[in-house]
Amino acid sequence: MARIIIITGKGGVGKSSVAAAHALKSAKDGVKTLLVSTDMAHNIADIFQKPVGGKITLLTDYLYGLEMDPDQVMKEEFPDMNRSIAAMFSEAGLMANKMGDDMIFPGFDDLFCLLKIGKIYQRGEFERIIVDCAPTGETLSLLKLPELLAWYMEKFFPVGKTMVRILSPISKWRYHVNLPSTEGMNDIEKMHQKLMELERMLKDENVCSVRLVATPERMVVEETKRNFMYLNLYGYQVDGLFINRMIPEQVDHPFFQTWKKTQGKYVEELEAVFAALPITRIPWYAQEVRGLEAVEMMVEKTFAKDELFALRAHSAQETYEIVDGSYCLVMEIPGVRAEELSIECHGLDLDIVLHNFQRRIPLPNTLRGSFVDNVKIEGDQVRVFFQKKEEETPCES
């Protein structure tokens, strides 16, 4: 089965060079590999010293590159879909950006990049797709879009489609409003199906995993820990950590001793948080990684291990247990603390807020008429206990 490996990390930690080393190692194994950049600050061409751009380009034997431009992807791959979205939402007063003859809504441009990656995967042309993603904040916003939009589609689209069918004949005459056409609504429905397929693909541990890149610095370590929590909150498989720019042990100049000691402290902190995952240390090279020879050197010194592309780790998705006759939802959220977490129940949805990230999980019909009775944190596990309501009252934790 083909694999997708997403490489991300805080801006400036060297994730593009780590992604390039993954891709070249894969190609050297004789596996047809595509290295994709979704970061607008594209680095593939700079690293390999070859022009790449928006068309799949041969970099070396078995290795191809692609630098995605969201506007180009939207216009060339999904023009009808974008126009349908614009037609539906513009009448609702939602703001969009004008891109030539097309309208595009904030966030949707990145979504089209994800859909394009899914399309390439499903063609089966490449055995491995390595994605050099934007910095983690943007990556998280991108990865939560399929689930978020799918939730809105499932909740509101059937009602909206019925209303459009009823009101469309009179809307223009009576209210001077153009509602989306039936064809446009059908296009949006097709997009919903693609989003559901995309979400299943990205959360399938046999298909997709996320690897984090960090450097041993305070701000980077804190952001990496938070992003590990958020990725697990949304159910993505994180299967590796790469600690970049480590001062080599053989460097014994007095100037570097304090620096090495500081790095050691942050490495220990990362190793404690990511204890269940493979951790790779990457030395600080004297020269920046540019050109095929530089990437080959990085592969030989750090990425030569055969197990680099093995299924490296597994974290459980949401599961339900029966405890004392009631249901308990179990989730893995590494490093979470009780004071950072808020959980509320609304009807058949569970709202989980962690810092400034929110996830809404649809609950099974079995839990209709239940409320959140208790939340317990046991290590990296969050356990949410439900109880049946005795009378109809607002559902809250």
Side-chain angles (χ1 to χ4, degrees), residues 10 27 31 40 48 62 91 252 278 300 314-315 331 333 352:
K10 184 176 172 63
V31 175
M40 288 305 293
F48 285 93
Y62 294 101
E91 295 296 345
D252 57 1
E300 290 168 6
H314 168 77
S315 60
M331 300 177 290
I333 309 180
I352 304 172

Side-chain angles (χ1 to χ4, degrees), residues 61 93 163 221 249-250 283 387:
D61 292 345
M163 293 299 291
V221 168
E249 285 297 322
Q250 62 268 28
Q387 290 291 340

Side-chain angles (χ1 to χ4, degrees), residues 240-263:
L241 172 69
F242 295 80
I243 307 176
N244 198 14
R245 297 178 187 149
M246 293 288 302
I247 299 174
E249 285 297 322
Q250 62 268 28
V251 175
D252 57 1
H253 192 282
F255 174 79
F256 291 100
Q257 295 312 305
T258 302
W259 201 349
K260 286 170 67 175
K261 185 177 180 181
T262 302
Q263 282 197 345

Side-chain angles (χ1 to χ4, degrees), residues 20-215:
H22 269 78
L24 187 58
K25 163 62 177 169
S26 178
K28 283 184 168 294
D29 291 343
V31 175
K32 191 175 181 182
T33 303
L34 177 65
L35 175 59
V36 180
S37 172
T38 64
D39 188 349
M40 288 305 293
H42 296 304
N43 291 315
I44 296 177
D46 291 334
I47 290 174
F48 285 93
Q49 302 285 281
K50 284 188 175 183
V52 180
K55 300 294 182 183
I56 293 176
T57 304
L58 180 66
L59 298 174
T60 186
D61 292 345
Y62 294 101
L63 179 57
Y64 297 77
L66 172 64
E67 294 178 333
M68 284 193 180
D69 179 338
D71 300 333
Q72 181 183 357
V73 171
M74 178 270 293
K75 290 176 181 177
E76 293 183 359
E77 300 285 339
F78 307 100
D80 295 335
M81 191 181 295
N82 185 67
R83 280 192 288 271
S84 299
I85 294 169
M88 184 173 75
F89 288 122
S90 60
E91 295 296 345
L94 296 178
M95 297 300 292
N97 299 321
K98 186 75 173 174
M99 301 300 300
D101 295 329
D102 294 301
M103 303 290 287
I104 190 163
F105 289 85
F108 273 79
D109 49 353
D110 294 327
L111 181 62
F112 289 125
C113 284
L114 269 187
L115 287 168
K116 172 68 172 176
I117 291 171
K119 199 172 179 180
I120 293 172
Y121 174 84
Q122 289 168 347
R123 286 206 306 256
E125 184 180 352
F126 297 96
E127 295 178 68
R128 290 189 187 126
I129 300 174
I130 311 298
V131 184
D132 174 20
C133 244
T136 37
E138 297 173 48
T139 300
L140 287 162
S141 298
L142 177 62
L143 292 178
K144 72 180 183 181
L145 269 173
E147 181 176 292
L148 178 65
L149 293 176
W151 183 87
Y152 277 106
M153 289 292 293
E154 290 171 5
K155 294 291 182 181
F156 300 119
F157 188 78
V159 176
K161 194 171 184 181
T162 301
M163 293 299 291
V164 165
R165 189 174 65 249
I166 295 171
L167 296 177
S168 188
I170 64 171
S171 63
K172 187 173 182 179
W173 167 74
R174 180 69 178 83
Y175 301 104
H176 306 289
V177 171
N178 289 314
L179 292 179
S181 65
T182 301
E183 292 79 8
M185 298 294 277
N186 288 339
D187 283 342
I188 295 168
E189 204 161 24
K190 290 175 185 176
M191 184 192 74
H192 176 221
Q193 293 300 318
K194 289 181 181 294
L195 285 176
M196 292 181 68
E197 293 170 8
L198 179 67
E199 183 187 0
R200 284 194 293 269
M201 181 186 75
L202 293 176
K203 293 187 177 181
D204 183 343
E205 65 174 0
N206 295 307
V207 173
C208 182
S209 60
V210 180
R211 295 182 178 180
L212 295 171
V213 182
T215 52

